[in-house]
Amino acid sequence: MVWEQLVVNGIIAGSEYALLAIGLTLIFGILRLIHFAHGEVAMVGAYTAFVVSVILGLPLWLGFVVAVVVGALLGLAINTAAFKPLRKQHILMPLIAAIAMSIILQNVIALFFGNEIKTYSLGPVEKGIEMFGFIITKTQILIIFVAIALMLLTWVLIKKTRIGQQVRAVADNRHLAESLGINSEKVITVTFAYGSALAAAGGVLIAMETNLEPMMGLMPNIKAFAAVIVGGVGSVPGAILGSYFIGLAENIGIWYLPSGYKDAIAFFILVVFLLFRPRGILGKKKEGLSQ
Amino acid sequence: MKRTAFALTLLLLLLASGCVEEQGEQSIKIGVIEALTGDGAQYGEWVREGLTIAADEINEGGGINGRKVELVFEDHKAKPQEAVSAYQKLRFENVSIVLMGWSSPSVAVSPLANRDKVILFTYSATTPLYSTKDDFTFRTAVTAKQYAKEEAEFLFERLGKKKVAALYTNNDFGLGMKNVFVETFEGLGGEVLIVEAFEQESKDFRSLITKVKASDPEAIFLVGQLVENGMLVKQMNEADFDRQIVADVYSVEGSDFLQGAGNAAEGIIYVAPFFEENKKPGFAARYREKFGESPNYMGAQAYDAVMIVAKALQVCPSEFDTECIKDELFKIKGFEGASGILTFDEFGDVEKPVMFKTIKNGEFVSYEVPA
């Protein structure tokens, strides 16, 4: 009873982290950039769905679709405005730009929607469904299924399509890929749009489960970042594995530890990996930081 | 070079003398450090409104000894480290009276205020750590010693619950309340089965709930911020874990809590200061006129902090003579504030009557003992 519940809790948390982690790891793979504003893309996605479903009164699924589109466009805008002009600069410059974007987005949203929390008025709080010894809500089931569907989609895109092949090529060695005629800027653009769309989808799902406020993207993005490191930077399956690993470790860990240590567990794992296995679970032996 | 230096010195001297001359007409600056953004922003909004009403009232009435009051707001985002830098910024602006909210931020600033001889007033911190004898720190809020004790007695004596779980937010507010609660409840002969903390701004309480549910308590003592608690209560309901929750006014009374908890908020019982609008009808009327809503306990406590400082300031030569203000504050007995009658004890704390309230059809109403 307790164990089944803890494992399910871990899977729910892992699914939320994974939606952000996939975009983070893809972007890191091609640009060697930690996208600190990725959580804010998720946050803007959540607010987009809020505008569509609560302010305009349209169905939430439509809000989800619009959020994904807006997320992709926002990703493109961030890339064009903050990262593209800094492409040839020192690696720290785009990092600072990402932090700046994150602060700007938080404040712009706070300006328009205020700092107080919002919810998608999904009706009265319902008791979860009891099955196989655990309790789960419909929203949580949806989160898990959407996350798995988007993971499969990502896998197909990366492995089976031409653009996916190009993404892998650029991630592997950008200069070599360019010399073979791949337009690396186009690949970067596509990656940003796709990764950001996934983040926006994640943002809507997290907001459905909890609530909306301008800082909502911060913690999930930090967790997703930890998942990326643990899974192996640049690796999509690694990011997914890392997400579930951290989600499960946190939720099972607090059965033994006081609940206040929940976030500490994720960071403890992160530190252990950085010390003893910096390339992560699935990372390649020589991680391409040496461009 | 020499000439430039001379000119600069002259300029500085001029500026300095200008400052001295102007001081008589300058407004009295009162610093405010509060959570204006982040999860705690709703408290900050109430505080800002209550303080604004107080400043308006003073300024429209001709100010303090002819000088206007100016509020200087700084944001601590509910974090002690931000509070310390906000305090330093205010000191840089030569502010000698600081009002602030939240337990951890207030505890972080209080040693600095005592060192600098700055009058520090909290209108919302409950932590016992803030109570230090005969110094520059004061408060208009009911302390944890009173709130949590009342909650423990209520659970044990009035509801007859003997085995409970205690859930608290991991900051000085939660910790102070939890400690007093556990001590009192166990002193009465009750048993606290499990004590669990959660981080400020947490959103995922599923496994914490799994753990608490497994210990099977009869009731739950809860202390935390509105947003977290809303999420926690909602997730408890989703996990089919339905127990009587007893909390305090900070933990549940606000729309941010109802937004999260929804219908799961119904029936929660909480301790609150005995706040009656008609104690100070002028305050409530002004508040409604300006902000279009009725004031609550927080607005009233913030309002009282300004008004009581203003009273002390009327006697003292200037706002920089903080020794005088401090002594005057301790002398004030039975100050009729919007949040009740205030008399500071030797720690600069107040004791006020409290009451129990509950949530019924999404409204905060006084709790009636079921017949």
Side-chain angles (χ1 to χ4, degrees), chain B residues 85-315:
Chain B
S85 50
Y87 170 80
Q88 275 150 356
K89 194 170 165 219
L90 288 172
R91 283 298 292 153
F92 195 70
E93 292 171 31
N94 212 10
V95 169
S96 61
I97 300 165
V98 174
L99 312 178
M100 67 185 297
W102 294 69
S103 288
S104 289
S106 301
V107 168
V109 170
S110 80
L112 305 177
N114 278 323
R115 181 196 67 193
D116 301 343
K117 296 194 184 338
V118 162
I119 298 287
L120 185 70
F121 232 109
T122 178
Y123 38 73
S124 72
T126 57
T127 174
L129 293 178
Y130 185 80
S131 308
T132 41
K133 224 173 179 172
D134 190 30
D135 58 12
F136 293 84
T137 58
F138 295 86
R139 69 172 128 200
T140 56
V142 176
T143 65
K145 280 179 191 151
Q146 209 183 336
Y147 275 148
K149 184 172 159 278
E150 293 277 352
E151 285 178 70
E153 289 169 357
F154 184 87
L155 264 167
F156 191 85
E157 285 159 7
R158 289 190 46 197
L159 297 180
K161 308 285 185 195
K162 311 293 175 208
K163 289 178 177 163
V164 300
L167 307 182
Y168 69 100
T169 180
N170 200 4
N171 57 27
D172 285 306
F173 164 52
L175 208 60
M177 293 284 284
K178 184 269 291 178
N179 287 342
V180 175
F181 174 81
V182 172
E183 199 189 305
T184 318
F185 196 77
E186 289 180 344
L188 290 167
E191 195 183 340
V192 182
L193 300 171
I194 185 169
V195 179
E196 284 289 323
F198 49 88
E199 284 308 306
Q200 212 169 304
E201 301 186 359
S202 303
K203 290 200 166 175
D204 173 1
F205 300 94
R206 292 179 284 254
S207 292
L208 175 133
I209 291 165
T210 309
K211 207 171 167 180
V212 175
K213 197 177 170 185
S215 76
D216 196 24
E218 295 168 5
I220 288 163
F221 164 82
L222 172 65
V223 52
Q225 278 74 233
L226 296 170
V227 176
E228 284 112 85
N229 288 347
M231 259 320 100
L232 175 59
V233 169
K234 172 183 174 239
Q235 289 175 16
M236 268 175 68
N237 200 47
E238 285 173 350
D240 196 18
F241 182 42
D242 189 19
R243 293 288 185 278
Q244 178 64 54
I245 296 173
V246 171
D248 60 278
V249 68
Y250 299 101
S251 294
V252 298
E253 198 182 291
S255 60
D256 270 1
F257 175 74
L258 293 181
Q259 276 275 326
N263 50 313
E266 292 294 307
I268 289 177
I269 302 171
Y270 64 96
V271 65
F274 194 80
F275 170 63
E276 280 178 316
E277 257 187 47
N278 52 17
K279 278 272 162 58
K280 260 226 150 86
F283 164 68
R286 229 173 225 278
Y287 197 101
R288 257 195 297 278
E289 191 188 318
K290 185 144 187 165
F291 301 112
E293 57 180 10
S294 297
N296 71 355
Y297 72 99
M298 187 74 99
Q301 283 167 195
Y303 170 88
D304 283 350
V306 179
M307 297 315 266
I308 210 161
V309 167
K311 190 173 181 198
L313 271 171
Q314 278 168 353
V315 190

Side-chain angles (χ1 to χ4, degrees), chain B residues 352-367:
Chain B
K352 286 192 280 196
V354 295
M355 64 189 286
F356 279 89
K357 295 174 84 172
T358 186
I359 300 170
K360 207 172 174 183
N361 303 322
E363 301 281 335
F364 304 106
V365 296
S366 61
Y367 173 76

